[in-house]
Amino acid sequence: MKQVALITGSSRGIGRAVALVLSQAGYAVCINYIQSREAAESLAAQLRGEGREAIAVQADVADSHAVNEMVRQAEAELGPVTLLVNNAGISWQGLFQDMEDAAWDRMLAVNLTGARNAARAVLPAMISRKGGCIVNISSMWGLRGASCEVAYACSKAAIVGLTRSLALELAPSRIRVNCVAPGCIETDMVRVLGQETREMLVAETPIGRLGTPEDIAHAVAFLASEKASFITGQVLTADGGFTV
Ligand code: NAP
């Protein structure tokens, strides 16, 4: 069966690495972005230049109509989606009581409802084919809590609940649902925190470095692979020992 992966938020950072690793593993990939058209288009063009199937599609994951349209386009151009990687996410740092309603709502809309929207859109094809795989990207902050990132931590904890509950609901359809909880990964999301915080995070990571986007991409590829065919509803923490 042809393997088609839709990776939300794959123009940069972890999602981009996931798209590259899955493409190298033989998946046709749908690269999703919200703003970074050039980065997404050039990644898709690079992969096509290497003889692989890839398209770039703009959609705000928080917008269910846009997500449905993206999935329709992916299915029309690549075929039914066999693997969904719910990676698109945003972060916000600040005191809990300083966060405006709109910022709180947007956080949950992108990080949680975005994953719901994408899962709901790919499921009809997966259920009718009795197979498929969903890998959600949570965060170690969703497992242990994060001061000054309350909304982010809530959204990522909810991703764990989504993963476990969907895994149970979809197991009879032979659809596996797992999640990866990354530690501190060297991407724009961590770079905005500044050098001092970065060094503090490295010091707190037992393995002595930040993770790379590829570290997470390989964890995703494992959970998506046949090697993980008996694994569902699980959280794979990839954090260099931070939460141990
Ligand atoms: P990043 O470098 O900031 O990249 C975010 C990606 O998500 C970009 O491709 C961005 O697209 C896309 N995106 C953002 N909002 C979107 C929306 N509404 N609709 C569609 N796409 C959207 O982030 P990252 O560090 O790679 O993080 C990826 C995921 O890993 C996130 O869920 C994040 O919470 C999680 N995570 C990251 C870390 C870390 O340390 N970096 C740790 C734990 C978990 P544009 O380029 O178009 O803006």
Side-chain angles (χ1 to χ4, degrees):
M1 184 174 56
K2 183 178 176 186
Q3 302 284 11
V4 177
L6 165 58
I7 308 104
T8 65
S10 42
S11 45
R12 297 183 278 127
I14 292 170
R16 183 180 195 277
V18 171
L20 276 163
V21 165
L22 292 177
S23 174
Q24 281 154 10
Y27 286 82
V29 294
C30 176
I31 297 155
N32 160 249
Y33 64 97
I34 183 165
Q35 285 178 321
S36 306
R37 177 181 303 275
E38 210 177 306
E41 294 284 2
S42 96
L43 176 58
Q46 176 194 323
L47 296 177
R48 286 195 297 269
E50 292 166 7
R52 307 193 175 105
E53 273 188 277
I55 58 170
V57 183
Q58 196 273 340
D60 176 354
V61 292
D63 176 346
S64 62
H65 298 290
V67 169
N68 290 342
E69 180 51 30
M70 168 171 67
V71 170
R72 193 206 56 72
Q73 191 181 335
E75 289 179 346
E77 294 187 34
L78 302 173
V81 174
T82 59
L83 166 63
L84 167 66
V85 183
N86 274 316
N87 167 80
I90 54 173
S91 62
W92 189 94
Q93 285 83 36
L95 289 174
F96 173 65
Q97 65 269 34
D98 289 344
M99 192 176 198
E100 306 266 347
D101 288 358
W104 175 276
D105 292 347
R106 180 66 183 160
M107 176 72 64
L108 293 177
V110 174
N111 290 9
L112 174 59
T113 309
R116 188 286 300 250
N117 289 341
R120 195 176 54 176
V122 300
L123 278 176
M126 287 187 182
I127 289 168
S128 73
R129 293 159 71 99
K130 275 213 165 280
C133 190
I134 298 176
V135 180
N136 297 317
I137 306 295
S138 176
S139 165
M140 67 174 177
W141 303 122
L143 306 178
R144 61 179 285 176
S147 168
C148 292
E149 289 202 84
V150 173
Y152 181 77
C154 287
S155 72
K156 292 301 182 177
I159 286 293
V160 174
L162 178 78
T163 299
R164 291 182 176 142
S165 303
L166 262 187
L168 291 174
E169 190 166 319
L170 297 172
S173 297
R174 298 201 202 106
I175 297 165
R176 295 185 300 108
V177 187
N178 289 291
C179 102
V180 176
C184 301
I185 310 301
E186 190 88 62
T187 69
D188 294 342
M189 195 176 271
V190 164
R191 282 182 209 114
V192 296
L193 302 174
Q195 188 60 18
E196 203 180 315
T197 307
R198 186 190 176 284
E199 278 164 21
M200 203 185 72
L201 292 170
V202 170
E204 279 187 69
T205 304
I207 247 166
R209 65 171 175 86
L210 297 188
T212 64
E214 291 71 28
D215 287 328
I216 305 308
H218 291 303
V220 171
F222 165 67
L223 288 173
S225 74
E226 270 306 299
K227 290 175 188 156
S229 63
F230 203 52
I231 299 176
T232 196
Q234 299 305 305
V235 181
L236 175 54
T237 306
D239 67 354
F242 200 110
T243 54
V244 175

